[in-house]
Amino acid sequence: MSTSTQITAVWPTTPAHRVEVDPALQRQRAQADPSRPRWHVTPPWGWINDPNGLSVHPGPDGEPVIHLFYQHNSHAPVHELIEWGHQVSTDLVHWRDLPVALTPGPEGPDARGCWSGVVVNDLRPDGSRVPTMIYSGHADRPTQTACLAVAEPGDPWLTRWVKETETNPVIDTARHSVGLDLPVMRDHSVWRENGRWYQVMGSGLPGQGRDGAQAGAALCFSSEDLRTWTYEGPLAFGDGDVGATGTVWECPELCTLTGEGGERDLLTVSAWHEEATMRTMWMTGERAGTRMRVDDVGRSDLGENYFYAPQSVLLPDGRRVVIGWMQPNRDHDQRIAAGWAGSLSVPRTMSLAVDGTPRFAPVAEIEALRGTRLVQAEGEGARTASFASRSVDLVLSGRLAQGEVTVDVLADAEGERRTRVSLRRRGAAGERGQDAWTGWLSVDRSASAPAGSPWQGEETRLLEGPVPLGADGEVELRVLLDRSSLEVFVNGQPLSARVGAEPDDALVVVDAPGLEGAVLSAWHMEDAYTDGRLEP
């Protein structure tokens, strides 16, 4: 596996060093940018990265509302002085902007940023449940710390939060809380079990990996009240493989995953190494208290860091849904000119397959955005087809025999520019997990834009990896294209990418000569946001 493009947070020492762009100008630029996604979560303007506080709470009428907070910079589309943005939805498709929920400092443990975290319902002695944020505060300290903010009563939209300044930080730096000098300690997964609170924070343990390497780790703490925490040791740690699980684990999340494959403990981490976001990994196994035995490891998304820092929620209907960060693929100047940077993935359901691997699928609600049908064909008409759209949901199914299936998107009429999705068969590389899969998926962005084009992405590396096929080669290939956002699913394994392409390049070309019993459907996708987004 290759490491990713480096995304580095450079924190200014004074407000004078920050990048600031007038919000109205950012909004104007973002609305005019033809590359900005129209049905993936984006901020009204500015920067977005990790999803935070994904949770469900009763709305004003008592019906469930999905709350999505996110790492945000409303001052400029750059990764600085991070605050918590906030959107809500009742269907995981149409989102409504709410005001920024949490801002840094100006002093204290979050003076330089309110980093990633979660929202849980604190159980009070009177039986009430109070929505409470647990987030990473960033300041002039050796590592990040854990901080709390509590929702004000009588506010069903959760727009008003009060930091617990007297108790923050509730988990101090690694030296004070763990007793070790660690490179980082940040991001949270929090749950309640047997009358006690538990959480894991992401970190790296020097010397714990193979041959003395630093190993990514999920450090476990416990508490009776969310405010006084005891360090319990590492829940799990990796082997320090820079090309796989990294030397630091960001955004750890522990949950139980169910499906046709039964029930397993699932630990998801985002691998990080020397300031570079690399990829999101899943780990399945068995947990006993505050320790987890990891049996299998795999990539959550073959797009590497284009699906990063995911967070999931268990919906009232029993589905576990996850959303990840699709980081930008533009340089600093391009982001400033665009007025926005980054988006989130479509919400995906997670389940455990018979082979013990997690599988992912776009939530069914996304189909509500399907508008004009662009193509419906079977047989030869499904194996070779073309149409124009930069906003499309395409589903191609059949039995993959010999040869290759390709779907070109964002192509020009002459065939000189295109982003190519390719699927072929391969021999299994192992006997279990993703190594046993016999399909191979790739996304080639090398010809997405001409050299020197202002629309060219900052990087165009090949993204690829194994995907599962049915016993006789049965396959469903689904392509979700939303301008610069591309998500591909093959039998439950995703590959996400950000693509830089000329605004007029809109052809989609299907070429699948080796697909038997082919069926092709495609729809133009409508916008998920209304025009009345937050005013600056």
Side-chain angles (χ1 to χ4, degrees), residues 426-438 466:
R426 68 150 193 178
E431 297 182 354
R432 60 184 295 158
Q434 293 180 333
D435 285 342
W437 291 352
T438 57

Side-chain angles (χ1 to χ4, degrees), residues 6 46-47 84 95 108 188 275 319 322 355 371 409 476:
Q6 181 170 306
W47 172 274
W84 276 35
W95 296 91
H188 314 265
E275 304 298 329
R319 289 179 296 168
V322 64
D355 67 356
V409 299
E476 180 182 274

Side-chain angles (χ1 to χ4, degrees), residues 251-390:
C251 302
E253 182 181 77
L254 179 69
C255 70
T256 300
L257 192 61
T258 61
E260 294 180 352
E263 180 177 291
R264 300 297 300 275
D265 290 311
L266 177 73
L267 176 64
T268 302
V269 302
S270 291
W272 184 91
H273 175 66
E274 294 182 350
E275 304 298 329
T277 57
M278 295 168 60
R279 63 189 59 83
T280 297
M281 309 292 295
W282 56 256
M283 304 175 187
T284 57
E286 298 295 332
R287 180 174 63 91
T290 58
R291 299 291 184 273
M292 179 175 172
R293 185 194 75 241
V294 175
D295 297 327
D296 292 295
V297 180
R299 285 192 279 174
S300 299
D301 191 294
L302 304 178
E304 301 288 76
N305 55 351
Y306 288 109
F307 180 80
Y308 198 80
Q311 194 168 111
S312 73
V313 63
L314 189 64
L315 297 182
D317 62 14
R319 289 179 296 168
R320 181 161 290 277
V321 169
V322 64
I323 299 176
W325 171 39
M326 298 187 71
Q327 70 178 40
N329 182 25
R330 284 171 159 169
D331 62 28
H332 175 85
D333 291 343
Q334 287 175 317
R335 296 172 196 172
I336 295 296
W340 69 281
S343 67
L344 301 186
S345 70
V346 296
R348 305 171 178 181
T349 58
M350 293 198 300
S351 61
L352 192 67
V354 173
D355 67 356
T357 62
R359 302 293 176 86
F360 306 85
V363 293
E365 289 88 340
I366 289 294
E367 297 175 12
L369 295 177
R370 289 174 174 174
T372 303
R373 187 183 292 273
L374 300 168
V375 63
Q376 177 67 55
E378 298 183 11
E380 188 59 31
R383 288 191 287 269
T384 56
S386 65
F387 54 88
S389 179
R390 290 171 57 89

Side-chain angles (χ1 to χ4, degrees), residues 69-281:
F69 303 87
Y70 53 89
Q71 299 281 272
H72 182 39
N73 181 1
S74 60
H75 303 282
V78 296
H79 192 203
E80 292 179 354
L81 205 61
I82 295 297
E83 55 203 11
W84 276 35
H86 187 191
Q87 296 186 23
V88 292
S89 176
T90 58
D91 63 2
L92 290 167
V93 177
H94 300 90
W95 296 91
R96 170 188 168 193
D97 296 295
L98 292 177
V100 168
L102 195 66
T103 57
E107 298 177 346
D110 64 2
R112 291 198 179 187
C114 301
W115 283 11
S116 294
V118 296
V119 172
V120 298
N121 283 318
D122 187 11
L123 304 177
R124 296 297 173 85
D126 62 2
S128 61
R129 295 173 177 264
V130 180
T132 302
M133 292 178 176
I134 300 97
Y135 66 96
S136 290
H138 177 64
D140 289 318
R141 301 183 180 210
T143 65
Q144 299 78 23
T145 59
C147 300
L148 296 187
V150 177
E152 287 190 3
D155 177 20
W157 291 114
L158 305 185
T159 59
R160 301 189 300 271
W161 296 84
V162 179
K163 298 177 186 177
E164 294 208 343
T165 54
E166 293 184 3
T167 57
N168 284 340
V170 295
I171 297 179
D172 211 331
T173 62
R175 166 51 63 185
H176 290 91
S177 59
V178 177
L180 298 172
D181 288 321
L182 302 179
V184 298
M185 191 175 75
R186 57 179 177 250
D187 312 328
H188 314 265
S189 176
V190 181
W191 71 97
R192 189 167 177 81
E193 185 175 292
N194 298 325
R196 193 168 179 83
W197 289 102
Y198 294 86
Q199 76 162 298
V200 289
M201 293 182 68
S203 188
L205 292 176
Q208 292 300 307
R210 188 179 302 158
D211 299 325
Q214 179 173 295
L219 307 182
C220 193
F221 301 81
S222 71
S223 172
E224 292 184 354
D225 61 0
L226 291 176
R227 288 156 180 82
T228 302
W229 292 88
T230 300
Y231 178 55
E232 301 287 354
L235 176 80
F237 56 87
D239 60 7
D241 182 351
V242 173
T245 59
T247 55
V248 166
W249 287 353
E250 294 193 290
C251 302
E253 182 181 77
L254 179 69
C255 70
T256 300
L257 192 61
T258 61
E260 294 180 352
E263 180 177 291
R264 300 297 300 275
D265 290 311
L266 177 73
L267 176 64
T268 302
V269 302
S270 291
W272 184 91
H273 175 66
E274 294 182 350
E275 304 298 329
T277 57
M278 295 168 60
R279 63 189 59 83
T280 297
M281 309 292 295

